Amino acid sequence: SIQYHPIHIAEKLGYFEDEGLDVSVEVVDGSSAAMQQLIAGNGDISLPSAPAVVQSVAQGHEPVWFYTFFYQNVFGISAPADTGITDLEGLKGKTVGISEPSGGEVPLVRGALAAVGLAENKDYKMLAIGEGDASTFEALQRGTAQAYSSSVYDVAAVETAGMELNPLLPDEFNFMPSQGLVAMREAYDEKRDAMIGFARAQAKAKVWADANPDAAKAISKEYGPELFEDPQLAQSIWDATQRLFTPPDDLEGDPVETMGIHYMPGWDFYLEFISQGTAEEGAIPAGTVDPDEVVTDELL
């Protein structure tokens, strides 16, 4: 509810209704599942991560990314401070904890470590240790895994629980495409006005939330009260969310006027990055995905 608070606020304050929309929000298990639901025609719009969108293109589908929701990379790689690991090369011979085998962070881990000459199951291995919960903390504390890759929210939960983590990714990874409003081409073409209305409503809600953060948190609490049982955790998730919303300095201009625009250098870097390595390692051959066919600013 904190991560996607503009959508909840748009619903609560009637912004969707103002656009003539009747919106039903459904929760699914991660970005891959979200894309599967879109492909199956069970949803019109979703907020998946870029890896899931790119993977669907590689499989022959036609998603359209029409509004950038988050700018900063939602996934990272960190190591507990007491391991002494300060860079990716330090993961040689180590185990990298991940949320789950199909998590959006997996292509990032493979690609980032391949870039420094480390091969999976030879120089390092991955192990599912959870989504920032007690099992994640325990695995890192006991040394079952010496690093952790997952969303910034899972990392925030581990840090709030009392473990200091050092980020390992170089700065150039910060603005790889993160999450955006996505529809399949058929729905996008048939329901263009609804796409515009949905994006405009949640954009208005984001502006309102920035001007009224305490009230925005109160609405978020209505939708996810369990997140607010630990005030420190709720604040850390809120702060992480605000960082994700922050665009790179290259995108200059009024924050409201630039809402939703795309950072194409980040897309170019990401697509080049994921083409490294072999197909067995999950690499997508260069040229498989044309960002100009996936990402559009025509609705902005």
Side-chain angles (χ1 to χ4, degrees), residues 2 153 156 160 213-214 217 227-243:
I2 295 175
Y153 303 104
T160 301
D214 290 339
K217 292 175 188 175
L227 285 174
F228 291 82
E229 293 174 359
D230 182 340
Q232 185 180 356
L233 176 60
Q235 187 61 49
S236 68
I237 294 175
W238 185 271
D239 293 342
T241 298
Q242 304 317 306
R243 288 195 297 272

Side-chain angles (χ1 to χ4, degrees), residues 5 14 58 67 75 78-79 108 112 143 161 176 191 213 224-225 227 232-233 298:
H5 64 267
Y67 184 103
F75 301 113
S78 303
L108 174 69
M176 294 195 308
K191 302 181 180 181
L227 285 174
Q232 185 180 356
L233 176 60
E298 64 184 6

Side-chain angles (χ1 to χ4, degrees), residues 14-299:
Y15 293 157
F16 289 135
E17 187 177 357
D18 291 345
E19 297 289 341
L21 301 178
D22 179 12
V23 175
S24 174
V25 178
E26 301 289 345
V27 178
V28 297
D29 188 15
S31 292
S32 294
M35 286 307 304
Q36 289 168 8
Q37 293 299 324
L38 285 188
I39 291 167
N42 295 331
D44 297 304
I45 299 174
S46 188
L47 259 170
S49 63
V53 175
V54 169
Q55 192 63 240
S56 73
V57 176
Q59 294 168 354
H61 303 291
E62 293 186 88
V64 181
W65 178 298
F66 62 91
Y67 184 103
T68 292
F69 189 79
F70 286 145
Y71 286 96
Q72 298 204 26
N73 187 6
V74 72
F75 301 113
I77 305 175
S78 303
D82 61 11
T83 64
I85 298 171
T86 59
D87 54 29
L88 295 175
E89 288 85 350
L91 296 177
K92 185 173 183 178
K94 307 298 184 183
T95 297
V96 179
I98 55 174
S99 64
E100 59 172 337
S102 62
E105 71 275 13
V106 173
L108 174 69
V109 173
R110 286 175 174 152
L113 294 189
V116 296
L118 302 184
E120 185 184 1
N121 296 324
K122 177 184 176 184
D123 300 308
Y124 73 94
K125 64 178 181 178
M126 285 190 273
L127 177 69
I129 61 172
E131 299 179 331
D133 52 23
S135 63
T136 305
F137 190 94
E138 182 178 2
L140 293 171
Q141 188 176 52
R142 290 188 173 185
T144 306
Q146 293 77 45
Y148 184 48
S149 182
S150 193
S151 76
V152 296
Y153 303 104
D154 298 339
V155 170
V158 172
E159 291 179 322
T160 301
M163 182 176 291
E164 182 182 355
L165 296 174
N166 292 329
L168 304 180
L169 283 177
D171 290 342
E172 58 262 31
F173 286 83
N174 288 341
F175 290 102
M176 294 195 308
S178 183
Q179 285 181 268
L181 294 181
V182 174
M184 301 311 293
R185 172 63 65 181
E186 183 177 358
Y188 176 83
D189 290 339
E190 290 181 357
K191 302 181 180 181
R192 181 186 180 94
D193 289 344
M195 304 293 162
I196 294 170
F198 185 95
R200 181 162 51 217
Q202 61 83 38
K204 288 166 65 176
K206 174 65 169 60
V207 173
W208 185 91
D210 290 345
N212 305 279
D214 290 339
K217 292 175 188 175
I219 291 176
S220 295
K221 187 175 181 179
E222 292 181 32
Y223 284 84
E226 70 284 350
L227 285 174
F228 291 82
E229 293 174 359
D230 182 340
Q232 185 180 356
L233 176 60
Q235 187 61 49
S236 68
I237 294 175
W238 185 271
D239 293 342
T241 298
Q242 304 317 306
R243 288 195 297 272
L244 293 180
F245 276 123
T246 304
D249 293 338
D250 299 21
L251 295 182
E252 298 177 353
D254 182 277
V256 174
E257 294 178 356
T258 57
M259 287 183 72
I261 66 174
H262 316 300
Y263 186 59
M264 298 313 294
W267 275 94
D268 293 337
F269 172 80
Y270 177 64
L271 292 174
E272 180 180 358
F273 163 74
I274 61 171
S275 69
Q276 306 300 315
T278 65
E280 290 74 19
E281 294 171 328
I284 294 177
T288 301
V289 179
D290 182 350
D292 292 332
E293 293 184 2
V294 179
V295 182
T296 179
D297 62 4
E298 64 184 6
L299 302 189

